[in-house]
Amino acid sequence: MTDAKTRIDETVKANDVVLYMKGTKEMPQCGFSSRVAAVLNYIGVDYTDVNVLADEEIRSGIKEYSDWPTIPQLYVKGEFVGGCDIITEMALSSELDALFETNGIAFNKEAADKIREANA
């Protein structure tokens, strides 16, 4: 597990935004991963996706790394943000906008506003 933890740590620290997910950002393999990827894709965030289905060590290691039992998992500037429910709530409350703004992550504010309008 140490090798997996090292690889996860290096990935999380080397990229501003990382989504550990089932599948890829182009082809998610579960509804929860699909929802988070859709939000990030729609608002134009440049992020690294890691397909946990392609590596069992990473799939189990990411849960230990974050002490969070589910996938997907979003990391911003090396910090664990949350899973699908948390990211969805943050997108709808503008907290995700604030997180990206605070960390200098580019995103489309108009698209983020449209998500909130559509779910009002």
Side-chain angles (χ1 to χ4, degrees):
M1 193 60 70
T2 305
D3 179 51
K5 183 179 181 200
T6 300
R7 289 189 292 146
I8 292 166
D9 198 53
E10 288 172 352
T11 300
V12 165
K13 290 180 178 170
N15 299 281
D16 287 343
V17 182
V18 180
L19 180 62
Y20 283 85
M21 62 184 293
K22 293 179 180 175
T24 64
K25 61 176 117 180
E26 295 85 14
M27 188 166 295
Q29 298 289 309
C30 86
F32 300 115
S33 292
S34 180
R35 182 180 302 164
V36 176
V39 167
L40 297 176
N41 292 341
Y42 188 76
I43 66 174
V45 173
D46 181 24
Y47 67 101
T48 299
D49 57 334
V50 179
N51 181 1
V52 301
L53 298 177
D55 188 329
E56 184 55 42
E57 283 188 5
I58 296 296
R59 184 177 184 170
S60 58
I62 193 63
K63 295 174 185 180
E64 187 177 307
Y65 182 82
S66 62
D67 197 26
W68 190 260
T70 59
I71 295 165
Q73 294 185 14
L74 183 68
Y75 292 79
V76 175
K77 295 284 187 165
E79 297 294 323
F80 175 62
V81 179
C84 182
D85 290 346
I86 290 171
I87 301 309
T88 300
E89 289 174 22
M90 290 178 74
L92 295 176
S93 71
S94 300
E95 288 177 78
L96 195 59
D97 299 33
L99 176 69
F100 289 147
E101 288 169 351
T102 300
N103 285 286
I105 307 297
F107 71 101
N108 183 325
K109 178 82 168 127
E110 287 181 22
D113 289 340
K114 284 183 183 178
I115 289 174
R116 285 184 285 281
E117 289 171 17
N119 288 279

